Amino acid sequence: MTGFLLIDKPHGPTSHDIVDAVRRALGVKRVGHAGTLDPPATGLLVVAVGPATRLLRYVQPLPKTYEVTCALGVTTTTLDATGDVVEHRPVGVTPGEVRAAAASFVGEIEQVPPAVSAVKVAGERAYKRARRGEDVAIEPRKVTVHSFDILRTSSDAFDARIVCSSGTYVRSLVADLGARLGCGAHVVTLRRTAVGHLSVADAVEPERVAVGDVAPVEEVLEHMPRLEVDDATAKRLRDGQRVPTEAGAGEYVVVGPAGAVGVFVSCEGALRAETVLGN
């Protein structure tokens, strides 16, 4: 069994919990996921099954789409509703000011991940240090916010849809927006609705996972260029042979009559294996 599952993660379990649930449901040991969702977050988690786990690196960089509800005037230790309240501040901002602040974050920005996060600091997860009461200094990183659309505002809250690069922390983005407004803000609810072209509308609940839900590799990797080959060529590629090609330089998902063969690079008139799925 090899392919991908689109899982609609509920509130509560970790992403690793979802992987364990898939292992039990399908009776497969080799399972992994792309793009961790924190326990309070819900929505699309892309899970790979079998040899497809070697292809997660082609899914991980895809942009992520989130729908988020945020509270204004309150900051917390975790930058979301699970943390302790740090400060209350008066909120005196207009809807136009909220939209303008959100727009100012669109583009490439430097962002500091939350102290309560899975980022490693000196070889240890930041959240473990934070839970021991240690000061956690995390280096800023460059991320890209493709869009930050305010969908609704009220006197002390707003809803937004955010499209951002892999590695972006929405909690930090919202906290930075609150700081720019001068009143503070934190995430109340967070839902991932898409990973690239993959939509949570096509996802299955983890407790309902079945073998028939495993999507072929070529469907999930449709954002990559594709090369169709016959069965004989597919066998040669699986056997590690270099096969002549007229395809332009770059990475391709190679698909034979029985499905995806793997990801190959076209270079100097031949296909060279990057990741082969086997028979």
Side-chain angles (χ1 to χ4, degrees), residues 52-130:
T53 53
R54 298 202 298 268
L55 301 174
L56 283 168
R57 61 192 177 109
Y58 301 106
V59 177
Q60 182 68 34
L62 292 173
K64 313 297 191 294
T65 302
Y66 297 93
E67 293 192 357
V68 58
T69 295
C70 308
L72 293 168
V74 181
T75 57
T76 73
T77 53
T78 58
L79 313 186
D80 65 13
T82 66
D84 297 328
V85 172
V86 174
E87 187 178 13
H88 288 274
R89 300 179 193 170
V91 180
V93 297
T94 66
E97 288 171 331
V98 175
R99 290 186 170 85
S104 71
F105 287 96
V106 174
E108 186 178 76
I109 62 172
E110 282 203 339
Q111 180 186 79
V112 178
V116 181
S117 69
V119 173
K120 285 191 174 181
V121 177
E124 188 177 18
R125 301 292 184 187
Y127 67 82
K128 292 184 178 180
R129 291 176 174 270

Side-chain angles (χ1 to χ4, degrees), residues 2 55 58 216-219 221-222 224-239 241-248 250-267 270-278:
T2 186
L55 301 174
Y58 301 106
V217 164
E218 57 269 27
E219 287 185 11
L221 298 186
E222 68 175 31
M224 299 179 65
R226 175 170 169 168
L227 283 179
E228 302 276 352
V229 299
D230 59 26
D231 193 57
T233 303
K235 184 178 185 305
R236 290 173 62 195
L237 290 169
R238 288 192 183 100
D239 290 342
Q241 299 180 35
R242 288 172 68 88
V243 173
T245 183
E246 295 181 357
E251 291 180 327
Y252 292 86
V253 178
V254 174
V255 183
V261 181
V263 175
F264 293 76
V265 173
S266 174
C267 181
L271 291 175
R272 174 176 54 81
E274 275 204 345
T275 307
V276 182
L277 292 176

Side-chain angles (χ1 to χ4, degrees), residues 4-10 18 22 43-45 47 199-210 212-214:
F4 290 93
L5 285 164
L6 304 185
I7 302 292
D8 188 351
K9 181 187 128 18
I18 300 300
V22 170
L44 183 59
L45 187 69
V47 174
S199 172
V200 73
D202 299 317
V204 62
E205 297 173 356
E207 64 270 19
R208 297 178 180 274
V209 168
D213 297 314
V214 180

